[in-house]
Amino acid sequence: MNNNIKDSYSTKVTDHDLAIADKDRDGVLYSTDGKRLLGIERKDFSAYKYVIKEGTEVICDHAFSCSSIRNIVIPDSVIVIGERAFNECTSLKYVDIGKGVKIIKTFAFRCCSDLEELSLPKNIETIEAMAFSYTGLKELTIPQFCSQITGNPIAYKNIRIKSKSPHFIVEDDILFTSNKHELISFQSSILSYTIPNSVTRISSYAFWYSTNLESIVIPPSVKYIGINPFAYCNLVISNQSKEISLKKGLLIDIKRNAIIGCYSDNKTICIPDGIKSIERSAFCNSKITEVKLPYSVKSIKDHAFESSTIEKVKLPNSVIYLGNTVFLNCSSLEKVNLPKYLDYYGEALFKGCTSLKNIDIPDCIKYIKGGMFSRCNTLENVNISNSITKISKFAFYGCFGIKEFIIPKTVEYIGKSAFQFCRNLKAVYIPDSVKYIGFKAFNDCQWITVHRTGRRTWREYDSMNLIATTPGNKDKLVKMLPKFLHSIIKEMTYKEFVNREKSLYSNVNTEEEYDFGSLERVKCPRCGNWYFEDDGVCDICGYPWNE
């Protein structure tokens, strides 16, 4: 039944879903058939109490994420609560979960810090990993008909756990499957622990934040270990399993040639040759500064280096898969590259990398995905190739270091809030290829300085002063941008935009007269400015870089 539910009720939301969505008076978006709650129109949604419409069957991924909602009533018609549906709803105190809910997906209530009590209906069949992580819960009871838990659902602090389900047992504050073949959640405060010989699997995140635990023994019976089970711990691991290797602080799945976790005190980590995959959250919160990857590595999974102290990493061109949020909140990361032959890359790759200043986007990247550089507030130079066709929502949100931006003439779509809060953005070039600009794409691109003299207070605004576009394209751009930006829209060629401080190319009137499609943007070694490589001379300072 679980598989049928998962196949029938999609929690993913597409741009098309949002484009045709129905909106209620509170700004909550529903699918046209009323069966799926898609999300909220504004992230500052702050209803004291919201009652989801009867007939709704799915609460989609990220639906109320980061909102200020305090109370939510979920009707009996709801079957699935999507991934991160209430993620970081830090004001959420009361949740009435309807009797029809059968699946609660990963991170559904993550970081709901005010949520201290929650009663789960008996009909819930599946609780996915980290569903109630970082909440204020003091106790969680596994309901009667729950038959599947895909990983530790309550990672963070010691929470009392109970089970009414015949499929799970709790012994000494440790949650197992009823046959004790799988250890799911360790909530004990003991100092030393030997995993029972009956255990063949250790669940994802099983020991997260077990800060009292000083040592652990993994017996020979263990055949499988899930997502980095010992992160946020400081313990000595004794490994007796032949399926798992522990060398120089690296926990390795031998069969899969995959790094599961890093518990080394070394600042520089050399990944052994032959490793094919860096698994999800493998280096999460580790104290490394540099990682050296061999050419054998093909895949780096979601959250692989999240919240680590990594400063630099060179990703080999053998890497063809980068998951979501691989470098999320790596605040020390200064040097990183994107591999040239990526087949897949996820969203928010570098979100919160507050030390990252420069990055080159290779030709394999077709979309700047959602939140890719969000809150990279020191990012100054982004060398984008002509392969890009889409800049997705929140792509450069809060990138204070960007002063001007040239959008390639291959781009057709700019998502909502793509450049919002780029406080130092003074000028942007938008070519006529762009067909859609989302809500608030260029809002709040200004510094507000508050001055006080005695009792007098006034604000000084330092705003974006130029939106340049292809000759003949202003009228189309006016229709896509809000009225307050219309006065700064000007028509000019790429060349005129790059050299607008000078008049070197005043005779160039149309983009067709100077084809930039085959030109590379290069950085001048003398003045540090980026310009189009054409005659071998820097257009800004005249430096003859080709000599």
Side-chain angles (χ1 to χ4, degrees), residues 129-290:
M130 303 287 266
F132 305 102
S133 56
Y134 306 100
T135 65
L137 292 177
K138 296 176 174 60
E139 181 176 292
L140 184 73
T141 300
I142 308 302
Q144 181 179 350
F145 293 109
C146 183
S147 59
Q148 185 177 23
I149 301 176
T150 63
N152 189 355
I154 51 175
Y156 187 56
K157 298 182 178 178
N158 293 110
I159 298 172
R160 189 179 182 189
I161 193 164
K162 299 179 180 179
S163 177
K164 291 184 178 180
S165 168
H167 299 282
F168 305 99
I169 59 171
V170 178
E171 291 185 359
D172 300 322
D173 296 318
I174 305 168
L175 177 66
F176 299 91
T177 52
S178 55
N179 56 15
K180 292 189 74 173
H181 286 176
E182 183 169 1
L183 190 158
I184 300 169
S185 179
F186 184 91
Q187 299 297 314
S188 175
S189 59
I190 60 177
L191 301 180
S192 180
Y193 184 64
T194 299
I195 295 173
N197 287 323
S198 61
V199 172
T200 60
R201 296 171 62 90
I202 300 175
S203 269
S204 299
Y205 315 104
F207 292 84
W208 273 40
Y209 289 99
S210 297
T211 52
N212 292 325
L213 192 60
E214 296 176 356
S215 64
I216 189 168
V217 177
I218 302 174
S221 59
V222 172
K223 307 297 182 185
Y224 172 85
I225 294 181
I227 296 168
N228 190 351
F230 304 112
Y232 299 96
C233 298
N234 185 18
L235 50 79
V236 176
I237 303 171
S238 176
N239 175 50
Q240 298 175 2
S241 171
K242 293 183 179 180
E243 308 294 328
I244 306 298
S245 169
L246 183 63
K247 294 181 179 179
K248 297 181 179 180
L250 294 176
L251 192 62
I252 301 171
D253 185 312
I254 296 173
K255 284 186 177 179
R256 292 185 293 152
N257 288 317
I259 302 290
I260 301 172
C262 175
Y263 317 112
S264 173
D265 293 328
N266 295 331
K267 296 298 182 183
T268 299
I269 299 293
C270 295
I271 303 299
D273 193 26
I275 293 296
K276 294 180 179 179
S277 175
I278 309 297
E279 292 297 288
R280 184 176 178 133
S281 301
F283 288 84
C284 185
N285 198 50
S286 63
K287 305 306 178 185
I288 57 171
T289 58
E290 182 179 5

Side-chain angles (χ1 to χ4, degrees), residues 252-456:
I252 301 171
D253 185 312
I254 296 173
K255 284 186 177 179
R256 292 185 293 152
N257 288 317
I259 302 290
I260 301 172
C262 175
Y263 317 112
S264 173
D265 293 328
N266 295 331
K267 296 298 182 183
T268 299
I269 299 293
C270 295
I271 303 299
D273 193 26
I275 293 296
K276 294 180 179 179
S277 175
I278 309 297
E279 292 297 288
R280 184 176 178 133
S281 301
F283 288 84
C284 185
N285 198 50
S286 63
K287 305 306 178 185
I288 57 171
T289 58
E290 182 179 5
V291 172
K292 297 180 179 180
L293 300 170
Y295 207 77
S296 58
V297 174
K298 306 291 184 185
S299 172
I300 301 177
K301 302 289 182 64
D302 296 0
H303 309 282
F305 295 94
E306 179 181 342
S307 299
S308 70
T309 56
I310 190 169
E311 295 176 4
K312 57 182 178 179
V313 59
K314 184 175 181 181
L315 302 178
N317 287 329
S318 59
V319 174
I320 58 174
Y321 180 98
L322 281 177
N324 295 305
T325 59
V326 168
F327 296 99
L328 177 66
N329 294 332
C330 291
S331 57
S332 300
L333 184 65
E334 295 178 357
K335 294 183 179 181
V336 66
N337 66 295
L338 285 166
K340 291 183 178 180
Y341 308 111
L342 282 174
D343 285 340
Y344 177 85
Y345 55 98
E347 296 193 345
L349 273 178
F350 302 101
K351 182 178 179 180
C353 292
T354 53
S355 296
L356 187 64
K357 292 184 177 181
N358 306 290
I359 193 159
D360 294 336
I361 308 295
D363 289 341
C364 63
I365 303 294
K366 306 303 180 186
Y367 310 121
I368 304 294
K369 288 195 174 180
M372 191 168 185
F373 300 101
S374 176
R375 301 190 186 280
C376 293
N377 53 28
T378 61
L379 187 65
E380 296 176 357
N381 296 310
V382 184
N383 189 11
I384 297 184
S385 71
N386 284 330
S387 62
I388 301 296
T389 61
K390 181 178 181 180
I391 298 176
S392 299
K393 60 185 180 181
F394 300 99
F396 296 96
Y397 180 94
C399 291
F400 297 163
I402 297 177
K403 295 180 180 179
E404 68 175 45
F405 201 95
I406 297 178
I407 295 172
K409 59 182 181 179
T410 49
V411 171
E412 298 181 354
Y413 177 101
I414 300 174
K416 73 174 184 179
S417 300
F419 294 89
Q420 188 177 7
F421 288 109
C422 290
R423 290 284 174 83
N424 281 312
L425 182 63
K426 298 301 178 189
V428 62
Y429 194 95
I430 304 177
D432 56 10
S433 59
V434 174
K435 298 176 182 177
Y436 174 85
I437 298 177
F439 181 61
K440 290 188 175 182
F442 295 96
N443 280 36
D444 304 299
C445 293
Q446 60 185 15
W447 278 113
I448 303 175
T449 305
V450 178
H451 300 275
R452 291 183 177 88
T453 303
R455 294 182 179 179
R456 186 186 172 205

Side-chain angles (χ1 to χ4, degrees), residues 52-57 73-79 96-102 121 123:
I52 294 173
K53 290 181 180 180
E54 187 65 47
T56 303
E57 297 179 353
V73 178
I74 301 173
D76 293 346
S77 59
V78 171
I79 296 171
D96 183 356
I97 300 182
K99 297 177 182 178
V101 172
K102 288 181 167 56
N123 291 324

Side-chain angles (χ1 to χ4, degrees), residues 8-186:
S8 302
Y9 297 93
S10 173
T11 58
K12 303 296 181 184
V13 179
T14 66
D15 289 337
H16 178 70
D17 291 333
L18 296 174
I20 62 172
D22 292 331
K23 181 175 66 175
D24 69 9
R25 65 181 182 180
D26 294 302
V28 179
L29 305 174
Y30 289 85
S31 60
T32 52
D33 61 6
K35 293 184 178 181
R36 300 168 70 225
L37 190 159
L38 305 174
I40 49 180
E41 185 179 40
R42 299 169 63 92
K43 289 299 180 186
D44 57 2
F45 179 86
S46 57
Y48 178 80
K49 181 179 180 180
Y50 184 76
V51 180
I52 294 173
K53 290 181 180 180
E54 187 65 47
T56 303
E57 297 179 353
V58 176
I59 302 174
C60 290
D61 297 345
H62 303 273
F64 291 91
S65 182
C66 299
S67 71
S68 299
I69 191 169
R70 296 185 184 182
N71 302 285
I72 189 83
V73 178
I74 301 173
D76 293 346
S77 59
V78 171
I79 296 171
V80 182
I81 299 176
E83 182 177 337
R84 298 179 188 264
F86 298 93
N87 178 54
E88 293 190 43
C89 292
T90 55
S91 299
L92 186 63
K93 290 188 175 183
Y94 174 78
V95 180
D96 183 356
I97 300 182
K99 297 177 182 178
V101 172
K102 288 181 167 56
I103 296 175
I104 300 178
K105 303 195 81 171
T106 56
F107 300 101
F109 293 90
R110 176 184 175 273
C111 290
C112 293
S113 53
D114 278 0
L115 185 62
E116 296 182 354
E117 294 183 13
L118 185 67
S119 178
L120 299 179
K122 64 180 182 179
N123 291 324
I124 289 177
E125 297 177 1
T126 299
I127 300 173
E128 294 191 357
M130 303 287 266
F132 305 102
S133 56
Y134 306 100
T135 65
L137 292 177
K138 296 176 174 60
E139 181 176 292
L140 184 73
T141 300
I142 308 302
Q144 181 179 350
F145 293 109
C146 183
S147 59
Q148 185 177 23
I149 301 176
T150 63
N152 189 355
I154 51 175
Y156 187 56
K157 298 182 178 178
N158 293 110
I159 298 172
R160 189 179 182 189
I161 193 164
K162 299 179 180 179
S163 177
K164 291 184 178 180
S165 168
H167 299 282
F168 305 99
I169 59 171
V170 178
E171 291 185 359
D172 300 322
D173 296 318
I174 305 168
L175 177 66
F176 299 91
T177 52
S178 55
N179 56 15
K180 292 189 74 173
H181 286 176
E182 183 169 1
L183 190 158
I184 300 169
S185 179
F186 184 91

Side-chain angles (χ1 to χ4, degrees), residues 496 498-506 538-542:
E496 288 171 326
V498 172
N499 296 283
R500 63 191 181 280
E501 303 294 330
K502 302 179 181 181
S503 57
L504 296 178
Y505 297 92
S506 58
C538 175
D539 296 328
I540 310 301
C541 70

